[in-house]
Amino acid sequence: MAYDFQVTVDSARPHDLAGWWAEMLGWQVEGSNEEFIREMVAKGYAPEEATTTHNGVLVWKDGAAIVHPETKQRFLFQLVPEGKTVKNRLHLDIRMGADKIEAELERLTARGATLLHRGKQGPAEWITIADPEGNELCLS
């Protein structure tokens, strides 16, 4: 039996980080249902403090998601109180092709990524970076 899943990333600023990853991957930030949020607050199911405004849109404060434009694969960025303190035990390898790595590295570092490491094993080469909140990923 095969299972469906989403990748969930802890974050201090989930809406900002979702935007960064959506632009990096060419995915879309999942839209907010402002009417539903207002209804949940009005009916007492959620407190007003559970909401915020991001880019002029009413959103849930605790999370933001991005989706692949075709497959609808989903990443959820969730608000957590603590910061990242150790190396990730799991990371993503973004396969873009050797001819695009340097340009993508330049674009992503200009948007807040940090270069961590350049690696090579046999014919394979990659660059390890961290997103603006320190989560590691590799470009290959």
Side-chain angles (χ1 to χ4, degrees), residues 10-52:
D10 291 349
S11 175
R13 296 178 328 276
H15 295 278
D16 292 337
L17 199 57
W20 188 90
W21 277 87
E23 184 176 321
M24 193 268 289
L25 292 171
W27 290 24
Q28 300 164 342
V29 173
E30 195 171 72
S32 177
N33 186 336
E34 293 179 280
E35 182 180 321
F36 175 76
I37 294 171
R38 286 187 187 94
E39 181 182 342
M40 293 298 101
V41 171
K43 289 181 176 180
Y45 295 126
E48 186 74 35
E49 301 80 44
T51 70
T52 190

Side-chain angles (χ1 to χ4, degrees), residues 1 3 5 9 12 16-17 23 30 33 49-50 69 78 80 83 87 98 125 136:
M1 170 184 260
Y3 295 101
F5 66 92
V9 180
D16 292 337
L17 199 57
E23 184 176 321
E30 195 171 72
N33 186 336
E49 301 80 44
Q78 68 181 6
V80 295
K87 182 184 181 308
E125 294 186 38
E136 296 95 0

Side-chain angles (χ1 to χ4, degrees), residues 45-76:
Y45 295 126
E48 186 74 35
E49 301 80 44
T51 70
T52 190
T53 302
H54 183 73
N55 293 337
V57 177
L58 183 66
V59 295
W60 293 115
K61 186 187 303 184
D62 287 351
I66 64 172
V67 293
H68 186 282
E70 295 168 8
T71 66
K72 300 305 177 196
Q73 288 175 287
R74 189 173 193 257
F75 276 43
L76 174 66

Side-chain angles (χ1 to χ4, degrees), residues 120-126:
K120 181 174 179 159
Q121 186 174 32
E125 294 186 38
W126 66 92

